[in-house]
Amino acid sequence: MVQFYSPNRCFVNRGIISVTADNLDAQGQGIARHQGKTIFIPGLLPGEQAQIQLTEEKRQFAKAKVVKRLSDSPHRVDPHCPHFKVCGGCQQQHVTTELQVNTKASVLEHLIQRETGVSISAHPIIHSPEYGYRRRARLGLQYHTKQRNLLMGFRQSQTNDLVNIKHCPVMRPELEQLLQPLHQCLNSLNAVKRLGHVELVLADSGPLIVLRHLDPLKHEDKEILCTFSVQYNVAFYLLGDEKSLEPLIARQPAPWYQVDGLKLVFSPQDFIQVNDEVNQQMVAQALAWLDLQPTDRVLDLFCGMGNFTLPIATKVQTVVGVEGVTALVASGQYNARLNELNNVDFFHENLESDIHQQPWAAQGFNKVLLDPARAGAAGVMVHIVKLAPEKVVYVSCNPTTLARDSKVLLEAGYHLVSVRMLDMFPHTGHLESMALFSSGLMDIE
Protein backbone atom coordinates (compact mmCIF):
# COMPACT_ATOMS: atom_id res chain seq x y z
CA MET A 1 0.00 0.00 0.00
CA VAL A 2 1.63 3.26 -1.11
CA GLN A 3 1.41 6.06 1.42
CA PHE A 4 1.20 9.69 0.27
CA TYR A 5 2.54 12.29 2.65
CA SER A 6 1.41 15.92 2.86
CA PRO A 7 4.04 18.48 3.92
CA ASN A 8 1.54 20.12 6.27
CA ARG A 9 0.88 18.48 9.61
CA CYS A 10 -2.76 18.00 10.50
CA PHE A 11 -4.45 18.01 13.86
CA VAL A 12 -4.21 14.64 15.59
CA ASN A 13 -7.21 13.50 17.58
CA ARG A 14 -5.73 11.89 20.70
CA GLY A 15 -8.94 10.13 21.62
CA ILE A 16 -9.31 6.35 21.71
CA ILE A 17 -11.26 4.77 18.85
CA SER A 18 -12.17 1.14 18.10
CA VAL A 19 -11.39 -0.37 14.71
CA THR A 20 -11.10 -3.75 13.00
CA ALA A 21 -8.17 -4.27 10.61
CA ASP A 22 -9.22 -5.54 7.20
CA ASN A 23 -5.85 -5.82 5.47
CA LEU A 24 -2.07 -5.84 5.90
CA ASP A 25 0.53 -3.83 4.01
CA ALA A 26 3.98 -5.04 2.90
CA GLN A 27 5.55 -3.49 6.01
CA GLY A 28 3.37 -5.62 8.29
CA GLN A 29 1.10 -2.76 9.35
CA GLY A 30 -2.58 -3.45 9.83
CA ILE A 31 -4.94 -1.38 7.69
CA ALA A 32 -8.27 -0.23 9.09
CA ARG A 33 -10.92 2.28 7.96
CA HIS A 34 -12.56 4.86 10.16
CA GLN A 35 -14.92 7.59 8.97
CA GLY A 36 -13.69 7.16 5.41
CA LYS A 37 -10.01 7.43 6.28
CA THR A 38 -7.37 4.69 5.95
CA ILE A 39 -5.41 4.09 9.15
CA PHE A 40 -2.07 2.22 9.34
CA ILE A 41 -1.53 0.42 12.64
CA PRO A 42 1.72 -1.44 13.40
CA GLY A 43 1.16 -4.76 15.17
CA LEU A 44 -2.50 -5.25 14.18
CA LEU A 45 -3.46 -8.12 11.88
CA PRO A 46 -6.44 -8.50 9.52
CA GLY A 47 -9.61 -9.47 11.43
CA GLU A 48 -8.29 -8.19 14.76
CA GLN A 49 -10.27 -5.58 16.66
CA ALA A 50 -8.43 -3.04 18.80
CA GLN A 51 -8.66 0.22 20.63
CA ILE A 52 -6.20 2.56 18.97
CA GLN A 53 -4.87 6.09 19.34
CA LEU A 54 -3.92 8.22 16.34
CA THR A 55 -0.28 9.33 16.27
CA GLU A 56 -0.32 11.16 12.94
CA GLU A 57 -3.16 12.36 10.75
CA LYS A 58 -3.11 13.54 7.13
CA ARG A 59 -5.81 14.35 4.63
CA GLN A 60 -5.83 10.88 3.04
CA PHE A 61 -4.57 8.61 5.81
CA ALA A 62 -3.58 8.38 9.45
CA LYS A 63 -1.19 6.39 11.61
CA ALA A 64 -2.03 4.93 14.99
CA LYS A 65 -0.76 2.76 17.81
CA VAL A 66 -2.58 -0.08 19.52
CA VAL A 67 -3.78 0.80 23.01
CA LYS A 68 -5.52 -2.52 23.60
CA ARG A 69 -6.00 -5.48 21.27
CA LEU A 70 -9.48 -6.95 21.71
CA SER A 71 -9.13 -10.09 19.59
CA ASP A 72 -6.43 -12.28 18.04
CA SER A 73 -6.07 -13.41 14.45
CA PRO A 74 -5.32 -17.08 13.71
CA HIS A 75 -2.35 -15.68 11.75
CA ARG A 76 -0.79 -14.28 14.93
CA VAL A 77 2.20 -16.31 16.19
CA ASP A 78 4.80 -15.92 18.93
CA PRO A 79 8.01 -14.24 17.68
CA HIS A 80 11.16 -16.36 17.92
CA CYS A 81 13.43 -13.44 18.73
CA PRO A 82 13.72 -11.97 22.24
CA HIS A 83 14.59 -8.59 20.69
CA PHE A 84 11.43 -8.37 18.58
CA LYS A 85 9.58 -5.01 18.81
CA VAL A 86 12.80 -3.34 19.98
CA CYS A 87 15.25 -4.24 17.23
CA GLY A 88 14.48 -2.58 13.89
CA GLY A 89 15.67 -5.57 11.85
CA CYS A 90 12.41 -7.55 11.68
CA GLN A 91 8.88 -6.20 11.71
CA GLN A 92 6.72 -9.29 11.09
CA GLN A 93 7.80 -12.17 13.33
CA HIS A 94 4.32 -12.04 14.89
CA VAL A 95 2.75 -12.92 11.50
CA THR A 96 2.50 -16.39 9.95
CA THR A 97 4.72 -16.90 6.92
CA GLU A 98 1.64 -17.68 4.84
CA LEU A 99 0.11 -14.25 5.50
CA GLN A 100 3.45 -12.46 5.06
CA VAL A 101 4.18 -13.86 1.60
CA ASN A 102 0.59 -13.66 0.34
CA THR A 103 0.38 -10.01 1.44
CA LYS A 104 3.61 -9.13 -0.36
CA ALA A 105 2.46 -10.98 -3.48
CA SER A 106 -0.83 -9.04 -3.38
CA VAL A 107 1.00 -5.71 -3.01
CA LEU A 108 3.17 -6.61 -6.02
CA GLU A 109 0.15 -7.57 -8.10
CA HIS A 110 -1.67 -4.37 -7.09
CA LEU A 111 1.25 -2.10 -8.03
CA ILE A 112 1.72 -3.72 -11.42
CA GLN A 113 -2.00 -3.59 -12.18
CA ARG A 114 -2.28 0.05 -11.07
CA GLU A 115 0.76 1.23 -13.01
CA THR A 116 0.44 -0.88 -16.17
CA GLY A 117 -3.17 -2.05 -16.32
CA VAL A 118 -1.96 -5.67 -16.47
CA SER A 119 -3.58 -8.13 -14.07
CA ILE A 120 -1.17 -10.97 -13.29
CA SER A 121 -0.55 -13.39 -10.43
CA ALA A 122 2.75 -13.28 -8.49
CA HIS A 123 2.36 -16.96 -7.62
CA PRO A 124 3.92 -19.46 -7.22
CA ILE A 125 6.11 -17.69 -4.67
CA ILE A 126 9.82 -18.49 -4.36
CA HIS A 127 10.01 -19.43 -0.70
CA SER A 128 12.72 -19.11 1.94
CA PRO A 129 13.34 -20.89 5.24
CA GLU A 130 11.42 -18.99 7.94
CA TYR A 131 14.52 -18.57 10.10
CA GLY A 132 18.25 -19.10 9.79
CA TYR A 133 18.36 -17.69 6.26
CA ARG A 134 20.60 -14.62 6.56
CA ARG A 135 24.22 -15.36 5.64
CA ARG A 136 25.39 -11.76 5.98
CA ALA A 137 24.79 -9.20 8.74
CA ARG A 138 26.39 -5.90 9.73
CA LEU A 139 26.15 -4.92 13.40
CA GLY A 140 26.93 -1.51 14.83
CA LEU A 141 29.42 -1.11 17.69
CA GLN A 142 29.03 1.53 20.38
CA TYR A 143 30.94 1.82 23.66
CA HIS A 144 29.03 3.06 26.72
CA THR A 145 31.52 4.77 29.01
CA LYS A 146 29.28 4.77 32.12
CA GLN A 147 28.47 1.06 31.87
CA ARG A 148 31.99 0.30 30.60
CA ASN A 149 30.46 -2.04 28.10
CA LEU A 150 30.36 -2.43 24.33
CA LEU A 151 26.98 -2.55 22.61
CA MET A 152 26.90 -4.74 19.50
CA GLY A 153 23.70 -4.94 17.51
CA PHE A 154 21.16 -3.51 15.10
CA ARG A 155 19.48 -0.12 15.27
CA GLN A 156 16.23 0.30 17.12
CA SER A 157 13.27 1.13 14.96
CA GLN A 158 13.30 4.84 13.93
CA THR A 159 16.31 5.68 16.13
CA ASN A 160 20.11 5.49 15.97
CA ASP A 161 20.29 3.65 19.30
CA LEU A 162 21.69 0.13 19.22
CA VAL A 163 19.95 -2.96 20.57
CA ASN A 164 22.54 -5.21 22.20
CA ILE A 165 21.95 -8.39 20.18
CA LYS A 166 22.63 -11.70 21.88
CA HIS A 167 20.42 -13.84 19.63
CA CYS A 168 19.29 -13.38 16.05
CA PRO A 169 17.22 -16.31 14.76
CA VAL A 170 17.12 -14.98 11.18
CA MET A 171 20.91 -15.37 10.96
CA ARG A 172 22.40 -18.62 9.79
CA PRO A 173 23.07 -20.67 12.96
CA GLU A 174 26.81 -20.73 12.20
CA LEU A 175 26.81 -16.93 12.53
CA GLU A 176 24.34 -16.60 15.40
CA GLN A 177 26.46 -18.84 17.62
CA LEU A 178 29.38 -16.41 17.17
CA LEU A 179 27.48 -13.39 18.55
CA GLN A 180 28.13 -13.77 22.26
CA PRO A 181 31.78 -14.92 22.10
CA LEU A 182 32.51 -12.22 19.52
CA HIS A 183 30.99 -9.57 21.78
CA GLN A 184 33.16 -10.74 24.67
CA CYS A 185 36.22 -10.71 22.43
CA LEU A 186 35.66 -7.18 21.11
CA ASN A 187 34.78 -5.87 24.57
CA SER A 188 38.21 -7.02 25.78
CA LEU A 189 40.19 -5.03 23.21
CA ASN A 190 42.20 -1.96 24.16
CA ALA A 191 40.63 -0.29 21.12
CA VAL A 192 37.07 -1.08 22.25
CA LYS A 193 36.12 2.63 22.30
CA ARG A 194 37.26 3.13 18.71
CA LEU A 195 35.39 0.44 16.81
CA GLY A 196 32.88 1.23 14.06
CA HIS A 197 31.00 -1.90 13.06
CA VAL A 198 31.45 -5.62 12.55
CA GLU A 199 30.18 -7.70 9.64
CA LEU A 200 29.57 -11.44 9.76
CA VAL A 201 29.45 -13.42 6.53
CA LEU A 202 28.91 -17.13 5.98
CA ALA A 203 30.65 -18.23 2.79
CA ASP A 204 30.51 -21.81 1.55
CA SER A 205 34.19 -21.88 2.55
CA GLY A 206 33.29 -21.00 6.15
CA PRO A 207 32.43 -17.97 8.32
CA LEU A 208 34.33 -14.70 8.16
CA ILE A 209 34.29 -11.46 10.14
CA VAL A 210 35.16 -7.93 9.02
CA LEU A 211 35.99 -5.49 11.83
CA ARG A 212 35.92 -1.75 11.15
CA HIS A 213 38.36 0.00 13.51
CA LEU A 214 38.89 3.77 13.62
CA ASP A 215 42.50 3.72 14.89
CA PRO A 216 45.37 1.31 14.12
CA LEU A 217 45.14 -1.81 16.28
CA LYS A 218 47.97 -2.57 18.67
CA HIS A 219 49.79 -5.90 18.67
CA GLU A 220 47.99 -7.11 21.82
CA ASP A 221 44.58 -6.55 20.23
CA LYS A 222 45.61 -8.39 17.08
CA GLU A 223 46.76 -11.30 19.23
CA ILE A 224 43.33 -11.44 20.93
CA LEU A 225 41.61 -11.47 17.52
CA CYS A 226 44.00 -14.16 16.23
CA THR A 227 43.16 -16.37 19.21
CA PHE A 228 39.43 -15.91 18.49
CA SER A 229 39.99 -16.65 14.80
CA VAL A 230 41.74 -19.93 15.54
CA GLN A 231 39.41 -21.00 18.37
CA TYR A 232 36.23 -20.50 16.31
CA ASN A 233 37.71 -21.31 12.90
CA VAL A 234 36.73 -17.91 11.52
CA ALA A 235 38.58 -15.87 8.89
CA PHE A 236 39.15 -12.35 10.26
CA TYR A 237 39.59 -9.19 8.20
CA LEU A 238 40.50 -5.71 9.44
CA LEU A 239 39.09 -2.55 7.88
CA GLY A 240 41.05 0.53 8.93
CA ASP A 241 39.19 2.67 6.41
CA GLU A 242 36.83 1.88 3.54
CA LYS A 243 39.73 0.97 1.21
CA SER A 244 42.21 -0.77 3.51
CA LEU A 245 40.74 -4.25 4.00
CA GLU A 246 43.41 -6.73 5.01
CA PRO A 247 43.34 -10.29 6.37
CA LEU A 248 44.30 -10.64 10.01
CA ILE A 249 46.34 -13.72 9.15
CA ALA A 250 48.54 -13.54 6.04
CA ARG A 251 47.76 -15.78 3.04
CA GLN A 252 44.23 -16.39 4.29
CA PRO A 253 42.24 -18.20 1.54
CA ALA A 254 39.67 -16.02 -0.19
CA PRO A 255 36.00 -16.80 0.62
CA TRP A 256 33.74 -18.32 -2.02
CA TYR A 257 30.20 -19.54 -2.61
CA GLN A 258 28.59 -21.78 -5.19
CA VAL A 259 25.75 -21.03 -7.58
CA ASP A 260 24.48 -23.32 -10.33
CA GLY A 261 27.49 -25.58 -9.83
CA LEU A 262 30.05 -22.75 -10.23
CA LYS A 263 32.54 -21.51 -7.63
CA LEU A 264 32.51 -17.73 -7.15
CA VAL A 265 35.37 -16.22 -5.14
CA PHE A 266 34.58 -12.85 -3.58
CA SER A 267 36.07 -10.16 -1.40
CA PRO A 268 34.41 -9.72 2.02
CA GLN A 269 33.37 -6.25 0.83
CA ASP A 270 31.72 -7.54 -2.36
CA PHE A 271 27.93 -7.67 -2.54
CA ILE A 272 26.49 -11.17 -2.42
CA GLN A 273 22.83 -12.11 -1.96
CA VAL A 274 21.98 -12.40 1.73
CA ASN A 275 19.64 -15.39 1.31
CA ASP A 276 21.53 -18.24 -0.36
CA GLU A 277 18.56 -20.60 -0.73
CA VAL A 278 16.41 -17.99 -2.47
CA ASN A 279 19.39 -16.94 -4.60
CA GLN A 280 19.80 -20.48 -5.90
CA GLN A 281 16.10 -20.67 -6.79
CA MET A 282 16.14 -17.17 -8.30
CA VAL A 283 19.07 -17.94 -10.60
CA ALA A 284 17.50 -21.24 -11.67
CA GLN A 285 14.19 -19.49 -12.43
CA ALA A 286 15.91 -16.76 -14.44
CA LEU A 287 17.80 -19.29 -16.53
CA ALA A 288 14.63 -21.30 -17.15
CA TRP A 289 12.67 -18.19 -18.15
CA LEU A 290 15.39 -17.10 -20.60
CA ASP A 291 15.23 -20.56 -22.23
CA LEU A 292 18.94 -20.36 -23.01
CA GLN A 293 20.25 -21.87 -26.24
CA PRO A 294 23.84 -22.43 -27.51
CA THR A 295 23.43 -19.66 -30.12
CA ASP A 296 22.17 -16.98 -27.71
CA ARG A 297 23.90 -13.65 -27.08
CA VAL A 298 22.83 -12.45 -23.63
CA LEU A 299 23.21 -9.07 -21.91
CA ASP A 300 23.29 -8.89 -18.09
CA LEU A 301 22.89 -5.33 -16.80
CA PHE A 302 23.76 -4.33 -13.20
CA CYS A 303 25.50 -7.72 -13.14
CA GLY A 304 27.48 -7.41 -9.90
CA MET A 305 30.20 -10.03 -9.72
CA GLY A 306 28.38 -12.35 -12.13
CA ASN A 307 25.81 -14.11 -9.96
CA PHE A 308 23.64 -14.53 -13.08
CA THR A 309 26.26 -13.82 -15.76
CA LEU A 310 28.49 -16.82 -15.12
CA PRO A 311 25.71 -19.46 -14.89
CA ILE A 312 24.29 -18.01 -18.14
CA ALA A 313 27.74 -18.37 -19.77
CA THR A 314 27.68 -22.15 -19.36
CA LYS A 315 24.71 -22.38 -21.72
CA VAL A 316 25.09 -19.73 -24.44
CA GLN A 317 27.38 -18.49 -27.22
CA THR A 318 28.33 -15.31 -25.38
CA VAL A 319 27.25 -13.17 -22.43
CA VAL A 320 28.16 -9.58 -21.53
CA GLY A 321 27.90 -8.23 -17.99
CA VAL A 322 27.79 -4.50 -17.26
CA GLU A 323 28.37 -3.16 -13.75
CA GLY A 324 29.18 0.21 -12.16
CA VAL A 325 31.36 -1.01 -9.25
CA THR A 326 34.98 -1.60 -10.23
CA ALA A 327 35.69 -4.25 -7.58
CA LEU A 328 32.66 -6.33 -8.63
CA VAL A 329 33.75 -6.24 -12.28
CA ALA A 330 37.21 -7.45 -11.25
CA SER A 331 35.66 -10.29 -9.22
CA GLY A 332 33.50 -11.28 -12.19
CA GLN A 333 36.48 -11.38 -14.53
CA TYR A 334 38.49 -13.43 -12.04
CA ASN A 335 35.67 -15.94 -11.58
CA ALA A 336 35.18 -16.30 -15.33
CA ARG A 337 38.83 -17.39 -15.57
CA LEU A 338 38.52 -19.57 -12.48
CA ASN A 339 35.59 -21.45 -14.00
CA GLU A 340 37.25 -21.56 -17.47
CA LEU A 341 34.47 -19.55 -19.11
CA ASN A 342 35.91 -17.86 -22.20
CA ASN A 343 32.66 -16.50 -23.61
CA VAL A 344 32.13 -13.77 -20.98
CA ASP A 345 32.96 -10.06 -21.18
CA PHE A 346 32.54 -7.67 -18.25
CA PHE A 347 32.32 -3.90 -18.69
CA HIS A 348 32.75 -1.29 -15.96
CA GLU A 349 30.24 1.40 -16.89
CA ASN A 350 27.83 3.80 -15.19
CA LEU A 351 24.38 2.69 -16.32
CA GLU A 352 22.82 5.92 -15.02
CA SER A 353 24.79 8.04 -17.51
CA ASP A 354 24.51 8.22 -21.32
CA ILE A 355 24.84 4.57 -22.24
CA HIS A 356 24.69 4.99 -26.02
CA GLN A 357 28.43 5.72 -26.27
CA GLN A 358 29.43 2.82 -24.02
CA PRO A 359 31.23 0.00 -25.88
CA TRP A 360 28.80 -2.78 -24.96
CA ALA A 361 25.86 -0.78 -26.37
CA ALA A 362 27.03 -1.30 -29.97
CA GLN A 363 26.70 -5.08 -29.69
CA GLY A 364 23.60 -7.11 -30.47
CA PHE A 365 21.80 -9.35 -27.98
CA ASN A 366 18.74 -11.54 -28.30
CA LYS A 367 18.07 -11.93 -24.56
CA VAL A 368 18.49 -9.53 -21.61
CA LEU A 369 18.59 -9.85 -17.84
CA LEU A 370 18.76 -6.88 -15.48
CA ASP A 371 19.01 -6.66 -11.70
CA PRO A 372 19.09 -2.95 -10.76
CA ALA A 373 19.21 -1.28 -7.36
CA ARG A 374 16.11 0.26 -5.75
CA ALA A 375 16.17 3.25 -8.09
CA GLY A 376 15.36 0.92 -10.97
CA ALA A 377 16.63 1.01 -14.54
CA ALA A 378 15.02 4.04 -16.16
CA GLY A 379 18.26 4.94 -17.95
CA VAL A 380 18.53 1.66 -19.85
CA MET A 381 14.94 0.70 -20.63
CA VAL A 382 14.78 2.56 -23.96
CA HIS A 383 18.04 0.96 -25.06
CA ILE A 384 16.73 -2.50 -24.16
CA VAL A 385 13.76 -1.83 -26.43
CA LYS A 386 16.15 -0.82 -29.24
CA LEU A 387 17.98 -4.12 -28.87
CA ALA A 388 14.65 -5.89 -29.53
CA PRO A 389 15.47 -8.99 -27.46
CA GLU A 390 13.15 -12.00 -27.55
CA LYS A 391 13.00 -12.15 -23.75
CA VAL A 392 13.75 -9.81 -20.85
CA VAL A 393 14.05 -10.96 -17.23
CA TYR A 394 13.87 -8.12 -14.69
CA VAL A 395 14.96 -8.90 -11.10
CA SER A 396 13.78 -6.22 -8.68
CA CYS A 397 14.21 -5.14 -5.06
CA ASN A 398 11.62 -2.36 -5.43
CA PRO A 399 8.17 -3.18 -6.85
CA THR A 400 7.44 0.50 -7.52
CA THR A 401 10.34 0.93 -9.94
CA LEU A 402 9.67 -2.51 -11.46
CA ALA A 403 6.11 -1.39 -12.26
CA ARG A 404 7.37 1.93 -13.64
CA ASP A 405 10.03 0.35 -15.87
CA SER A 406 7.61 -2.34 -17.05
CA LYS A 407 5.55 0.32 -18.79
CA VAL A 408 8.42 1.03 -21.23
CA LEU A 409 8.49 -2.59 -22.35
CA LEU A 410 4.73 -2.92 -22.51
CA GLU A 411 4.35 0.25 -24.55
CA ALA A 412 6.95 -1.17 -26.97
CA GLY A 413 4.79 -4.23 -27.56
CA TYR A 414 6.28 -6.66 -25.04
CA HIS A 415 4.04 -9.00 -23.04
CA LEU A 416 4.35 -9.48 -19.29
CA VAL A 417 4.36 -13.26 -19.19
CA SER A 418 5.12 -14.12 -15.58
CA VAL A 419 5.89 -12.57 -12.18
CA ARG A 420 7.27 -14.12 -9.01
CA MET A 421 7.44 -12.78 -5.49
CA LEU A 422 10.79 -13.72 -3.90
CA ASP A 423 10.68 -14.23 -0.14
CA MET A 424 14.28 -13.01 0.14
CA PHE A 425 13.86 -11.39 3.57
CA PRO A 426 11.20 -13.14 5.70
CA HIS A 427 9.76 -11.16 8.64
CA THR A 428 10.73 -7.81 7.06
CA GLY A 429 8.98 -5.33 4.78
CA HIS A 430 11.43 -5.91 1.91
CA LEU A 431 9.69 -7.08 -1.25
CA GLU A 432 11.85 -8.73 -3.93
CA SER A 433 10.47 -9.97 -7.21
CA MET A 434 11.26 -10.96 -10.78
CA ALA A 435 9.34 -10.62 -14.02
CA LEU A 436 9.53 -12.14 -17.50
CA PHE A 437 8.72 -10.14 -20.63
CA SER A 438 8.48 -11.61 -24.11
CA SER A 439 8.33 -10.03 -27.55
CA GLY A 440 5.77 -12.70 -28.50
CA LEU A 441 2.84 -14.38 -26.74
CA MET A 442 3.94 -17.34 -24.65
CA ASP A 443 2.88 -19.30 -21.61
CA ILE A 444 5.57 -20.13 -19.03
CA GLU A 445 4.92 -21.34 -15.52
Side-chain angles (χ1 to χ4, degrees), residues 13-17 51-55 63-67:
N13 182 352
R14 297 294 181 181
I16 304 299
I17 58 177
Q51 293 178 341
I52 65 169
Q53 185 176 48
L54 300 186
T55 57
K63 294 183 178 181
K65 63 180 180 181
V66 174
V67 176

Side-chain angles (χ1 to χ4, degrees), residues 99 210 285 395 400:
L99 181 57
V210 178
Q285 181 67 84
V395 180
T400 302

